[in-house]
Amino acid sequence: MLWWLGAVLFLWLALRELYYSIVPKPGFLQPEPISWPYLLIALGLAIGLASVPWRKIRFEQFLTAKARILSESDQATVHCNTFFDTAVDPMALAAGHANPETGEIVLQKPWCAVLRKYLKHPQRLDDENIFSVQMFAHEAMHVRGERNEAVAECQAIQRYVRAARLLGVPEASAREGGLRYYRSLYQQRRQIGGMLAPYYSVECAPGKRLDEALPDSTWAR
Ligand SMILES: [Zn+2]
């Protein structure tokens, strides 16, 4: 919101400069000659400020389109929380959350930025990037209808490679990220326990009860 306000302010200053180059100011007989540096700086700042929320909207639209495919639900929408959104979000402590009733997926700060950065440089794979893809897939599984955390997490693990490919990640990075999440980060959740314990299940493994035997499963050979 503040970005838009700033953009409108500088756009107004630019238009005002243009206006007074055509129409004389009150009390003046002649219009003032236009100050090109002033006009260009004001316009540049207006565009620069507006581009920040605009890029966020475009990224949300991109994630929404991919979440609809992954969740197999036309209801899915993705919202990237700003600092102010998080301040009034009753689930501010969760890195992300989804509402199976409305299809709304919310990713907290800074996870949209982490994901966007990873998609720009998909060869730079690290634990944060991997977690941002897994979280996107996990929330999509809630929208798909799964409310149980351990089951949604396991469904997301099996669809990690599918999700990463949908987002435009090359095959090698998608597969390495999915396997690294399953073999390392997911297994750590079991050891850490506590708040993470409900997300883990020993049945989430190839051939076990939660294996959906997907043809493109992360752990399929
Ligand atoms: Zn969840």
Side-chain angles (χ1 to χ4, degrees):
M1 193 62 192
L2 283 178
W3 295 102
W4 288 122
L5 280 176
V8 168
L9 172 71
F10 283 105
L11 183 64
W12 178 76
L13 289 174
L15 291 175
R16 186 169 156 267
E17 179 69 12
L18 268 177
Y19 179 74
Y20 284 128
S21 72
I22 303 163
V23 178
K25 276 184 178 171
F28 288 80
L29 290 172
Q30 297 286 326
E32 282 187 356
I34 201 161
S35 166
W36 287 104
Y38 177 88
L39 181 68
L40 291 176
I41 289 170
L43 273 180
L45 284 169
I47 293 168
L49 288 168
S51 75
V52 176
W54 178 244
R55 276 185 289 146
K56 175 181 172 290
I57 290 170
R58 293 297 305 271
F59 191 56
E60 286 172 337
Q61 288 172 339
F62 168 77
L63 292 180
T64 292
K66 305 303 175 188
R68 286 184 180 174
I69 299 170
L70 195 63
S71 67
E72 300 158 39
S73 164
D74 288 343
Q75 267 203 311
T77 56
V78 179
H79 179 73
C80 297
N81 263 6
T82 62
F83 177 77
F84 297 106
D85 294 331
T86 303
V88 295
D89 187 341
M91 295 181 76
L93 290 178
H97 54 87
N99 184 334
E101 306 289 340
T102 62
E104 193 191 17
I105 293 170
V106 171
L107 303 179
Q108 303 285 11
K109 247 181 154 8
W111 293 106
C112 276
V114 170
L115 184 55
R116 187 153 70 178
K117 210 167 158 194
Y118 172 51
L119 299 183
K120 260 190 200 162
H121 307 283
Q123 69 285 4
R124 292 184 204 158
L125 198 61
D126 63 30
D127 288 356
E128 275 205 330
N129 299 339
I130 294 170
F131 186 69
S132 68
V133 175
Q134 173 65 20
M135 185 168 54
F136 169 73
H138 175 102
E139 303 310 341
M141 292 305 100
H142 283 314
V143 172
R144 192 165 164 267
E146 185 53 62
R147 289 167 186 269
N148 180 288
E149 292 297 355
V151 179
E153 181 72 349
C154 194
Q155 290 174 344
I157 285 171
Q158 292 169 78
R159 287 169 181 79
Y160 181 103
V161 175
R162 189 187 293 182
R165 277 196 204 125
L166 269 174
L167 294 169
V169 174
E171 182 70 21
S173 186
R175 197 151 284 279
E176 194 194 330
L179 284 174
R180 213 203 286 184
Y181 185 82
Y182 175 61
R183 290 175 182 161
S184 169
L185 300 170
Y186 182 58
Q187 305 307 327
Q188 282 169 19
R189 298 197 144 205
R190 178 194 200 178
Q191 289 148 13
I192 295 166
M195 275 174 69
L196 297 178
Y199 292 83
Y200 186 86
S201 169
V202 287
E203 296 297 330
C204 184
K208 292 266 181 83
R209 189 170 55 81
L210 293 178
D211 183 3
E212 297 174 79
L214 300 174
D216 62 345
S217 175
T218 299
W219 56 47
R221 291 277 147 206

